[in-house]
Amino acid sequence: MKKRTLLSMLFFALFLSTTGFAQKALKRELLSFEAFEAKLKAAGKDAQILDARLPEEYVQNHLEGAVSFNIADQADFEKKSAGLNKDKPVFIYSIGNGRSGILAEDLRKAGFKDVTEIPGGLSKWIGLGRPVISTVGKGLSLDEYTASLKSDKLVLVDFGSRYCPGCKRLDPTIDSIKTEQASNVKVIKIEAYENKSLVKELGVVGLPTLILYRNNRAIWEKKGGASKAEIEKILKEQAL
């Protein structure tokens, strides 16, 4: 694989700028999480684990034994892919299954025989409490989080990541609601990968995830983002 294909780079650009690719990526046939774990365990030392995110994301949190494999850097891609064994199993992850899907497709086209994505990506891996090598702290405790929910208003919590395209698309909507409905809604943003213990405790397995609380009790939850109209409708119904 001497060069990244133009098609792959176009896919990556679309992934960053629209919801279309992410929606199509979700329709790919992926193993169940349980089947994935069993396959990874069975591969043992033969497992080649690739982190398809940015290098700075990799430094913060990554699977043990994973190699940083930045799909946005062609030179890095070519160098590292040349060092892989096409006959051994490859396991790939990104935040969800966007960038990992691009890398998986390229490797298959290049002749890699066994390429598997982590279903749900690193978000699900961490949300289910699986271990990572990390340089960031555990973040908020559950008690600290619960204390932050105390309010006579509705409390809308946005679990996301500054590296997550879907989260970035949602940001303007959340910021708008925070400004426009300040009198009756308290908005809290949580950087998921800096609060791994909390994400595990709450079972947040996808980004972005929105949770709406009243009197410290969750009354609505939505994984994968939502339109402003949808959020406003929920807020209006719950304000009654």
Side-chain angles (χ1 to χ4, degrees):
M1 182 164 42
K2 296 181 179 180
K3 295 179 66 177
R4 301 260 5 235
T5 65
L6 177 59
L7 181 59
S8 294
M9 297 308 292
L10 289 173
F11 275 172
F12 182 63
L14 286 170
F15 168 69
L16 292 178
S17 61
T18 71
T19 60
F21 180 83
Q23 290 171 343
K24 290 179 182 178
L26 292 175
K27 296 179 181 178
R28 292 195 310 275
E29 295 246 348
L30 300 174
L31 293 178
S32 68
F33 196 85
E34 294 74 16
F36 170 82
E37 283 194 301
K39 184 174 182 178
L40 179 61
K41 182 178 180 180
K45 294 182 180 180
D46 284 337
Q48 302 175 105
I49 307 174
L50 311 183
D51 185 317
R53 303 171 302 149
L54 296 172
E56 61 191 273
E57 295 176 78
Y58 172 86
V59 169
Q60 292 173 358
N61 299 286
H62 62 266
L63 271 65
E64 182 176 4
V67 175
S68 179
F69 217 92
N70 179 14
I71 67 169
D73 186 329
Q74 183 175 340
D76 183 64
F77 180 92
E78 292 175 353
K79 178 181 178 181
K80 289 180 178 174
S81 60
L84 296 176
N85 187 327
K86 293 184 178 181
D87 296 320
K88 291 184 177 182
V90 177
F91 300 88
I92 307 174
Y93 66 90
S94 52
I95 290 178
N97 289 113
R99 289 174 284 183
S100 65
I102 297 172
L103 179 54
E105 183 64 18
D106 276 353
L107 291 177
R108 292 186 185 108
K109 289 178 179 178
F112 284 79
K113 299 177 180 178
D114 188 357
V115 181
T116 306
E117 296 176 64
I118 294 183
L122 190 64
S123 297
K124 189 164 187 176
W125 182 270
I126 290 178
L128 292 176
R130 302 307 189 262
V132 292
I133 305 300
S134 181
T135 58
V136 296
K138 294 182 178 180
L140 291 172
S141 68
L142 183 59
D143 287 343
E144 290 170 330
Y145 175 73
T146 301
S148 74
L149 300 176
K150 292 181 179 179
S151 175
D152 57 358
K153 307 175 185 179
L154 292 171
V155 180
L156 180 63
V157 183
D158 174 14
F159 283 89
S161 169
R162 59 185 174 275
Y163 303 107
C164 164
C167 304
K168 291 178 181 178
R169 287 191 292 271
L170 183 62
D171 277 344
T173 294
I174 299 302
D175 292 341
S176 176
I177 288 172
K178 181 177 181 179
T179 300
E180 295 171 5
Q181 302 205 35
S183 61
N184 64 317
V185 180
K186 177 181 178 181
V187 174
I188 299 173
K189 288 189 175 185
I190 302 290
E191 181 72 25
Y193 296 141
E194 294 175 3
N195 293 276
K196 295 185 296 298
S197 293
L198 179 62
V199 164
K200 175 185 174 182
E201 290 272 7
L202 297 176
V204 175
V205 296
L207 301 181
T209 289
L210 298 174
I211 307 177
L212 183 65
Y213 292 86
R214 180 196 285 123
N215 299 325
N216 280 39
R217 183 175 66 87
I219 55 177
W220 177 77
E221 181 172 338
K222 179 72 181 294
K223 183 176 76 172
S227 68
K228 186 177 182 182
E230 180 182 0
I231 298 171
E232 288 178 333
K233 181 175 182 292
I234 291 296
L235 293 175
K236 183 178 180 179
E237 291 173 350
Q238 296 301 329
L240 298 177

